[in-house]
Amino acid sequence: MRNRNKITTEIVLEGTREEVWKILVDLEKYPAWNPFIIRSAGVVRLNETLENIMMSGGKPMTFRPVITDLIEKQRFEWLGKAFLGGFQGRL
């Protein structure tokens, strides 16, 4: 069995729940506040696949996470894989 390491982070955001939600689901504006994801596109709906382009070592890398949990104004989670599945990230 492979050992799976897990890193968890938490960020406290200032603003109302409505303000934060509006920013999180506005995929076109991700580059304005997220230095890693330089483009995000798709439909924000449970089980939909997004197309994200992130900077990795100064080079763009496309990954296609699936929205795994979505509760309006409460939770927006996606699961993306990179490096042939060797890295999985959940937002």
Side-chain angles (χ1 to χ4, degrees):
M1 183 171 150
R2 290 176 34 187
N3 180 11
R4 296 191 182 256
N5 295 320
K6 183 177 182 178
I7 299 171
T8 303
T9 61
E10 181 177 319
I11 299 171
V12 177
L13 303 172
E14 292 186 26
T16 67
R17 188 177 291 252
E18 290 78 15
E19 291 168 333
V20 171
W21 184 258
K22 186 177 176 181
I23 291 168
L24 283 177
V25 297
D26 190 350
L27 302 178
E28 290 181 13
K29 293 188 180 171
Y30 267 49
W33 62 269
N34 188 324
F36 302 107
I37 298 177
I38 60 171
R39 182 178 178 277
S40 184
V43 177
V44 178
R45 188 170 45 225
L46 189 61
N47 298 319
E48 289 288 332
T49 300
L50 304 178
E51 181 175 276
N52 293 342
I53 300 175
M54 67 180 283
M55 292 305 286
S56 176
K59 296 179 182 180
M61 180 182 78
T62 301
F63 70 104
R64 293 175 178 83
V66 174
I67 298 175
T68 55
D69 198 356
L70 184 69
I71 300 173
E72 188 173 344
K73 298 179 187 168
Q74 291 183 37
R75 193 166 33 237
F76 175 30
E77 179 182 271
W78 72 45
L79 175 63
K81 299 177 184 179
F83 309 114
L84 301 174
F87 173 81
Q88 294 184 1
R90 200 176 281 278
L91 168 70

